[in-house]
Amino acid sequence: MADSQLFCVAEERSGHCAVVDGNFLYVWGGYVSIEDNEVYLPNDEIWTYDIDSGLWRMHLMEGELPASMSGSCGACINGKLYIFGGYDDKGYSNRR
């Protein structure tokens, strides 16, 4: 993860991937509804919620990123977040 910024809360969303690792909740992807249109959230952002402090932080991601999607599943294994599948503008995906 590259740069990070503090915010009060993460943007509302549906269809996101949320995973807990230690004292942190990681939130990636999903969409928001704007005037009856579903708009995918940026694929280069991942949000962390520090369960102990109650603070949200947004991190910009680098490297090979999955497309912006909703309905993905994820798991945190040995400190790495793995995201699989979901739905994007082209339909259902089995990308990881």
Side-chain angles (χ1 to χ4, degrees):
M1 286 183 264
D3 194 18
S4 67
Q5 301 174 0
L6 285 175
F7 292 90
C8 294
V9 295
E11 184 174 5
E12 62 191 44
R13 63 189 66 213
S14 295
H16 55 280
C17 176
V19 176
V20 172
D21 184 41
N23 292 333
F24 289 91
L25 169 69
Y26 296 88
V27 177
W28 179 85
Y31 64 92
V32 294
S33 293
I34 300 174
E35 297 179 9
D36 295 329
N37 293 311
E38 293 177 354
V39 178
Y40 293 101
L41 292 165
N43 65 333
D44 65 346
E45 293 180 2
I46 189 162
W47 288 81
T48 58
Y49 178 74
D50 184 327
I51 296 168
D52 293 332
S53 70
L55 293 176
W56 284 98
R57 185 181 301 258
M58 188 271 295
H59 303 269
L60 294 175
M61 298 170 24
E62 297 177 336
E64 187 178 336
L65 302 174
S68 294
M69 290 189 276
S70 67
S72 302
C73 73
C76 195
I77 302 169
N78 296 326
K80 291 187 179 183
L81 175 61
Y82 295 88
I83 298 170
F84 180 80
Y87 189 86
D88 63 17
D89 289 332
K90 299 174 186 167
Y92 292 100
S93 171
N94 64 351
R95 294 181 57 187
R96 55 180 161 75

